[in-house]
Amino acid sequence: MKTYRKELWFHLPTRRGFVNITRQVEEAVRESGVREGLVLVNAMHITASVFINDDESGLHQDFERWLEGLAPHEPTSQYRHNLTGEDNADAHLKRQVMGREVVVAITDGRLDFGPWEQIFYGEFDGRRRKRVLIKIVGE
C-alpha cells in the first residue's frame, strides 16, 4: 500500500471566499502514483472548510448569503467566543455547517466524482495563511 501527503497553503485577502482546489487534488493524485484508493482532503484550521459541490458562481453567492443568515458576522458582541478578544465566532459556526473534510475514491488513477462535483476550500476568517492537508492511501 502507498501513502502520500501534500499540503496546500492559502492566504485569501478577504474575510470569506471559496476556492476550487480540484485541480490541485488531481495533481496530488497523479504525484502519488495511487491507481486505486482514497484521498482525504481536510482543512487544518478551525475557521476554514473543505467541501464538495458544483462550481457555479450563483450557488457560491447563495452559500455566502445562506451562511451569513445562519451565523451573521455582525454584531460581533452576539457571540460569547468573541469576548476572548476574537471577532470570528461566526467563522467557527460556518465551518461547522460546511464541514472539515471530504473523502473521494480514486479509481484508475482519477478522482471518482459524480456529475458536477468539485472540491472547494471555504474560508470564513481569511487574511492570514492557512493550510489544507491532502492524504492519499491506496495501491
Side-chain angles (χ1 to χ4, degrees):
M1 179 171 59
K2 297 179 187 177
T3 64
Y4 182 81
R5 183 182 191 280
K6 183 175 187 174
E7 291 182 357
L8 304 177
W9 286 88
F10 298 93
H11 188 163
L12 272 62
T14 56
R15 184 171 192 83
R16 288 183 298 278
F18 302 117
V19 178
N20 188 327
I21 61 172
T22 306
R23 298 293 170 244
Q24 291 103 313
V25 176
E26 289 172 333
E27 179 182 319
V29 169
R30 280 191 299 279
E31 291 168 359
S32 76
V34 168
R35 305 288 299 156
E36 300 290 328
L38 298 171
V39 58
L40 166 75
V41 186
N42 70 278
M44 301 293 282
H45 203 281
I46 198 67
T47 57
S49 176
V50 173
F51 63 95
I52 293 178
N53 217 300
D54 191 359
D55 191 5
E56 194 277 312
S57 63
L59 178 61
H60 296 183
Q61 292 171 3
D62 292 341
F63 282 149
E64 175 66 27
R65 188 176 65 247
W66 177 67
L67 288 168
E68 194 60 20
L70 287 174
H73 178 65
E74 298 285 341
T76 58
S77 61
Q78 69 185 307
Y79 300 108
R80 292 183 56 87
H81 172 69
N82 291 344
L83 297 176
T84 65
E86 298 275 357
D87 72 346
N88 65 356
D90 66 300
H92 290 272
L93 299 172
K94 289 169 176 142
R95 188 277 182 101
Q96 198 66 25
V97 170
M98 295 302 284
R100 177 182 187 262
E101 78 274 324
V102 300
V103 176
V104 179
I106 300 168
T107 303
D108 198 23
R110 298 176 53 109
L111 296 175
D112 204 344
F113 279 140
W116 308 111
E117 288 187 329
Q118 300 282 304
I119 304 172
F120 293 89
Y121 170 72
E123 176 61 75
F124 308 116
D125 186 29
R127 302 177 305 230
R128 56 192 158 135
R129 272 177 52 107
K130 295 184 187 173
R131 67 189 163 115
V132 167
L133 172 68
I134 300 174
K135 182 71 173 192
I136 301 169
V137 180
E139 299 289 327

